[in-house]
């Protein structure tokens, strides 16, 4: 995963992400009060964050040239194993919380038989089972398969399946158009956020930033376009009136997420016009590039936590 400096960077990034996620979930709970579920939102946010980072880590080697790709893949392996393992565990906990909500009991009182019935007989339960299987598959591939482009494609495919399975059974499960829109929205967000997080965890000198940042910038443009399009379509499907954006807890959380997405898009465009040319010209040090990435990632982590809170808010 790199030398001592990279290990310190990774620990700081993980700690910062957890703090931002917790703070964002708490803020979303306050906005949605009294209908929000803070514990469920925290579990979902951790699961979604682990999924996003996993996807980014299995894709990030493709952003570097073929000559250097093996090194980037080697650096990404240990974080990818850790992220996918966290994804598996948090999704299992998420299934228990989902079972408890469906059964109307506390999470600590859920029986194994009840969990089994939930994952077999309900759409959210089956989606959770698919996600657990996909996350476990990614963990197996990155842990056991030879490090190659084909293994990376397989891991990315499994991660993508795991990421879109839950959105298709959420608020928009009754609408084909809405379900597809929210799946596109979530997958685009995961690519954008996950690959940037992976860059922070794997890239450690200005030469690498100069090579990979232009490709990330091109990818992020497509992701932002798909994210906005999917979000707009999903919003139009699910909302009956603009007044819902402030009249209830769910709408207030959605309004905060929309505002944050706008701010994030503006920041990303600013980084594209200032950071990208500096990195390409080797004028930005690795520390400067990492600092700019941290700022963008903090907003991304907040947006993901709000999205997780939105999903568990009535």
């Amino acid at each position: 995963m790199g030398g001592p400096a990279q290990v310190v960077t990774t620990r700081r990034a993980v700690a910062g992400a957890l703090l931002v996620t917790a703070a964002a979930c708490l803020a979303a709970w306050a906005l949605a009060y009294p209908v929000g579920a803070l514990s469920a939102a925290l579990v979902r946010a951790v699961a979604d964050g682990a999924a996003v980072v996993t996807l980014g880590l299995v894709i990030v080697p493709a952003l570097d040239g073929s000559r250097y790709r093996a090194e980037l893949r080697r650096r990404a392996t240990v974080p990818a194993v850790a992220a996918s393992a966290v994804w598996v565990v948090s999704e299992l906990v998420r299934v228990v919380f989902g079972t408890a909500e469906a059964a109307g009991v506390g999470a600590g009182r859920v029986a194994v038989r009840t969990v089994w019935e939930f994952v077999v007989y309900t759409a959210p339960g089956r989606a959770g089972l698919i996600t657990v299987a996909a996350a476990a598959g990614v963990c197996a591939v990155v842990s056991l398969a030879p490090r190659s482009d084909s293994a990376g494609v397989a891991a990315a495919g499994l991660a993508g399946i795991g990421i879109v399975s839950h959105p298709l059974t959420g608020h928009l499960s009754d609408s084909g158009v809405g379900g597809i829109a929210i799946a596109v929205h979530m997958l685009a967000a995961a690519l954008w956020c996950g690959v940037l997080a992976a860059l922070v965890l794997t890239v450690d000198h200005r030469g690498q930033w100069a090579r990979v940042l232009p490709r990330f910038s091109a990818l992020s443009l497509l992701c932002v376009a798909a994210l906005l399009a999917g979000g707009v379509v999903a919003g139009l499907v699910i909302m009956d009136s603009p007044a819902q954006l402030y009249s209830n807890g769910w709408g207030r959380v959605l309004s905060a997420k929309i505002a944050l997405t706008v701010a994030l898009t503006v920041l990303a465009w600013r980084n594209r016009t200032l950071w990208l040319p500096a990195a390409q010209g080797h004028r930005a040090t690795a520390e400067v590039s990492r600092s700019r990435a941290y700022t963008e990632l903090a907003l991304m982590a907040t947006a993901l936590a709000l999205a997780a809170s939105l999903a568990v808010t009535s």
Side-chain angles (χ1 to χ4, degrees):
M1 189 169 59
Q6 190 67 25
V7 172
V8 171
T9 296
T10 300
R11 289 176 178 173
R12 287 177 177 174
V14 172
L18 290 174
L19 286 173
V20 169
T21 297
C25 286
L26 185 60
W29 173 78
L31 283 172
Y33 186 83
V35 296
L38 181 57
S39 56
L42 284 169
V43 170
R44 180 153 186 157
V46 170
D48 289 350
V52 164
V53 174
T54 298
L55 179 65
L57 285 165
V58 298
I59 286 177
V60 74
L63 297 186
D64 212 343
S66 56
R67 178 181 175 185
Y68 305 99
R69 196 168 296 160
E71 178 189 356
L72 201 57
R73 186 178 292 115
R74 178 185 61 80
R75 286 176 175 269
T77 297
V78 172
V81 172
S84 57
V86 171
W87 188 13
V88 171
V89 173
S90 55
E91 285 293 344
L92 289 171
V93 175
R94 185 169 166 178
V95 167
V96 173
F97 271 81
T99 305
E101 181 182 8
V105 299
R109 299 174 58 192
V110 175
V112 174
R113 180 182 177 83
T114 307
V115 174
W116 172 254
E117 291 174 349
F118 177 72
V119 300
V120 171
Y121 296 114
T122 71
R126 290 191 292 270
L129 188 61
I130 291 171
T131 304
V132 169
V138 176
C139 192
V141 169
V142 296
S143 301
L144 305 175
R147 296 171 188 169
S148 63
D149 290 342
S150 58
V153 170
L158 287 169
I161 291 170
I163 286 169
V164 301
S165 63
H166 278 297
L168 291 174
T169 60
H171 290 294
L172 295 169
S173 58
D174 294 332
S175 168
V177 173
I180 292 173
I182 200 65
V184 169
H185 175 81
M186 185 61 189
L187 191 57
L191 276 171
W192 184 21
C193 305
V195 173
L196 184 59
L199 291 177
V200 168
L201 294 173
T202 58
V203 176
D204 67 348
H205 60 78
R206 75 171 72 192
Q208 280 185 310
W209 281 107
R211 292 195 306 269
V212 301
L213 198 58
R215 295 180 181 180
F216 169 73
S217 181
L219 175 65
S220 65
L221 272 180
L222 297 175
C223 289
V224 170
L227 181 152
L228 294 177
V232 168
V233 172
L236 291 174
V237 170
I238 201 169
M239 285 197 308
D240 298 321
S241 165
Q244 288 180 281
L245 290 171
Y246 57 83
S247 62
N248 57 59
W250 184 88
R252 290 191 293 271
V253 176
L254 178 60
S255 295
K257 182 175 178 287
I258 291 172
L260 193 63
T261 301
V262 171
L264 182 55
T265 303
V266 171
L267 176 62
W269 183 257
R270 185 174 182 274
N271 282 340
R272 180 179 174 83
T273 57
L274 298 177
W275 176 22
L276 178 60
Q280 280 183 298
H282 293 258
R283 298 189 305 275
T285 64
E287 289 73 19
V288 168
S289 290
R290 196 173 293 118
S291 176
R292 287 187 177 273
Y294 279 149
T295 303
E296 197 168 327
L297 282 169
L299 291 181
M300 289 176 171
T302 304
L304 287 172
L306 289 177
S309 298
L310 200 62
V312 299
T313 301
S314 301

